[in-house]
Amino acid sequence: MADHSAIEWTDATWNPVVGCSLASPGCTNCYAMPMARRIEAMQPGSHYAGTTKVVNGKPVWAGKVALAPEQILTQPLRWRRPRKIFVNSMGDLFHESVPDEWIDRVFAVMALCPQHTFQVLTKRSARMRAYLTTPFRVDRIFQASWPLGEGSPLTPQQYADRAHLGPPGRKDSVFNRWPLANVWLGVSTEDQRRADERRDDLAALAATGWNTFASYEPALGPIDWTGWDFLKWLIAGGESGPHARPSHPDWYRASRGFCAPRGIAFFFKQWGEWAIETPRAGGDLGADLRAGQVRHVCRDRENDGHFREGDRYMRRVGKARAGRLLDGVEHNGMPEVRT
């Protein structure tokens, strides 16, 4: 959990659940796995214990998930200044091992914090859809909201003031405002297959009134965004870290081009480790390719070793140097938040 996040599209991170398991190719180089491993080492006996294991010298998720202590679960209640809060940067709230009762508690906290905007991102869209469309879900969330536990900063009177003294059905109850206007639901879409698998679930939630977004990060292949008109926000970006995979600039241009005429906010987060290769006088492209400093990225297909029109070479220059300008422009689109 961090009150100030380096992630460009949010203000803070909140991890009421930690731990995960690999779900798709976008998980391969997940930054959260080595971070969780470091926390395990620095904080023996914490709720991170056992969430990772080492495979071939690299930390990976072990499949174990854990509910955070009460003081972390209830932290947003203590943040008075409104924030954009990324929910679960260190796991997936809708992981198959997370009980519904845990998720109920998370949504209860979010309901009691209308001053914040919560950004919930998952790769498990089917679970998210099933959870949020279960009959009487809001009633169960209300029941989970009180008592919140020893870590709650609210006195009974403060809770009553915040919840307007009412369960769902009472006109002035925050639990009668469903879907929650301050909660944004998002899915990760790293390539066409994963986009196709997750689109209908998110579309169904958008149709019931939820604010929705997609995170095309890391971009590992081109995506045809047909059928995604329901989105309010699209985040796109490349991969960072020592094993980062490059992405083609046209993948981002197509995403930007889809968003513009539909009024969908577009946010280009970063190139990651790789930037467009600019031919250098006296440079040895072949040697750089063999050394892995330059990579061939196909525009619209898997790399079969043949360079075709529209393909590009990308050079590893590091995240800072690669920057986040797309065609010389910084794209910081943010959706309009309704209250």
Side-chain angles (χ1 to χ4, degrees):
M1 179 178 63
D3 190 10
H4 301 285
S5 174
I7 300 172
E8 290 82 352
W9 46 264
T10 198
D11 299 321
T13 56
W14 175 47
N15 290 288
V17 173
V18 300
C20 203
S21 56
L22 303 183
S24 60
C27 301
T28 301
N29 298 320
C30 176
Y31 70 90
M33 294 189 292
M35 186 178 296
R37 189 70 179 180
R38 287 194 296 271
I39 296 173
E40 283 186 81
M42 292 186 298
Q43 301 176 17
S46 76
H47 58 298
Y48 279 88
T51 58
T52 66
K53 59 184 178 181
V54 176
V55 177
N56 296 326
K58 292 175 55 179
V60 298
W61 293 122
K64 176 187 174 182
V65 299
L67 181 67
E70 290 288 331
Q71 65 268 23
I72 294 177
L73 176 66
T74 59
Q75 180 61 66
L77 294 165
R78 286 185 286 273
W79 286 337
R80 295 186 178 182
R81 177 178 56 81
R83 293 161 169 80
K84 297 187 295 291
I85 302 173
F86 175 22
V87 182
N88 261 68
S89 62
M90 298 299 292
D92 192 324
L93 183 62
F94 294 99
H95 189 279
E96 51 272 19
S97 296
V98 178
D100 280 1
E101 291 76 14
W102 290 9
I103 307 175
D104 290 344
R105 302 189 76 194
V106 174
F107 269 81
V109 172
M110 294 192 292
L112 291 170
C113 294
Q115 74 274 24
H116 301 317
T117 299
F118 294 91
Q119 302 154 320
V120 182
L121 185 62
T122 184
K123 287 184 172 66
R124 294 162 173 84
S125 60
R127 172 82 192 283
M128 179 168 67
R129 178 182 181 179
Y131 170 83
L132 288 169
T133 55
T134 299
F136 306 109
R137 175 57 63 202
V138 69
D139 298 86
R140 296 173 189 176
I141 291 171
F142 172 74
Q143 293 166 11
S145 70
W146 184 253
L148 285 168
E150 294 180 359
S152 174
L154 299 181
T155 65
Q157 183 57 51
Q158 288 172 327
Y159 172 84
D161 292 341
R162 186 77 62 89
H164 302 297
L165 290 170
R170 181 173 174 133
K171 185 176 180 180
D172 58 352
S173 170
V174 294
F175 294 95
N176 199 40
R177 302 168 188 171
W178 193 260
L180 297 174
N182 66 323
V183 175
W184 286 71
L185 305 177
V187 296
S188 296
T189 54
E190 62 263 44
D191 56 24
Q192 188 68 59
R193 175 181 167 184
R194 261 49 65 163
D196 291 344
E197 290 174 351
R198 298 163 188 167
R199 180 188 60 206
D200 290 350
D201 294 321
L202 196 63
L205 292 170
T208 63
W210 288 97
N211 290 313
T212 57
F213 71 102
S215 175
Y216 182 27
E217 184 192 7
L220 301 180
I223 291 180
D224 176 358
W225 293 102
T226 300
W228 288 83
D229 304 64
F230 60 87
L231 288 177
K232 299 289 185 66
W233 190 25
L234 177 57
I235 304 165
E239 196 168 49
S240 57
H243 305 288
R245 294 157 285 186
S247 49
H248 195 290
D250 283 355
W251 303 347
Y252 302 125
R253 292 173 180 139
S255 302
R256 178 184 60 190
F258 172 78
C259 291
R262 295 168 176 82
I264 300 171
F266 178 72
F267 194 104
F268 181 60
K269 181 175 179 288
Q270 63 179 27
W271 283 101
E273 299 292 326
W274 302 81
I276 300 172
E277 163 68 355
T278 301
R280 298 174 299 156
D284 189 336
L285 182 62
D288 288 343
L289 282 165
R290 290 190 293 274
Q293 293 304 306
V294 171
R295 291 272 295 274
H296 166 209
V297 184
C298 295
R299 181 183 183 185
D300 58 3
R301 60 176 64 81
E302 294 291 330
N303 190 343
D304 58 4
H306 297 284
F307 194 91
R308 298 176 175 84
E309 183 179 359
D311 290 357
R312 293 301 301 257
Y313 288 119
M314 304 294 289
R315 178 175 291 277
R316 179 185 279 276
V317 298
K319 177 181 175 180
R321 185 176 169 189
R324 50 186 302 261
L325 298 180
L326 178 59
D327 296 326
V329 178
E330 192 173 281
H331 295 277
N332 295 311
M334 298 291 290
E336 181 179 348
V337 177
R338 62 181 176 89
T339 57

